[in-house]
Amino acid sequence: QNAGAEFRMIAIPDEISPTKDALKFDPARMQMLFEAGRKLGRDGAGWRNEPPRLEKLERIARSH
């Protein structure tokens, strides 16, 4: 923020359920998650100006 940089991130939405076993690699599931992320990035609708699920006091005040 002091350098004038803006925070931008994109993430797989909460509506897409997580895997049951985070240590098990399922290529089909990974491909589905990759495509969901790619679609959000290309559409531009998934970009955020702050991390998701912040509490009110965790938010950084914007100067502009």
Side-chain angles (χ1 to χ4, degrees):
Q1 186 177 20
N2 290 339
E6 291 185 26
F7 180 89
R8 301 289 285 164
M9 70 162 280
I10 196 162
I12 302 298
D14 291 338
E15 295 81 42
I16 297 179
S17 62
T19 59
K20 293 178 182 168
D21 183 356
L23 298 177
K24 182 180 178 186
F25 184 81
D26 177 6
R29 176 92 176 139
M30 293 298 121
Q31 185 66 37
M32 186 274 299
L33 292 171
F34 177 82
E35 292 301 332
R38 182 196 325 239
K39 182 180 183 315
L40 286 170
R42 283 189 175 162
D43 292 351
W47 290 100
R48 298 173 184 245
N49 294 324
E50 64 184 27
R53 299 179 296 277
L54 290 180
E55 298 295 329
K56 183 177 181 180
L57 295 176
E58 294 175 316
R59 298 182 192 279
I60 296 174
R62 296 187 195 179
S63 58
H64 53 295

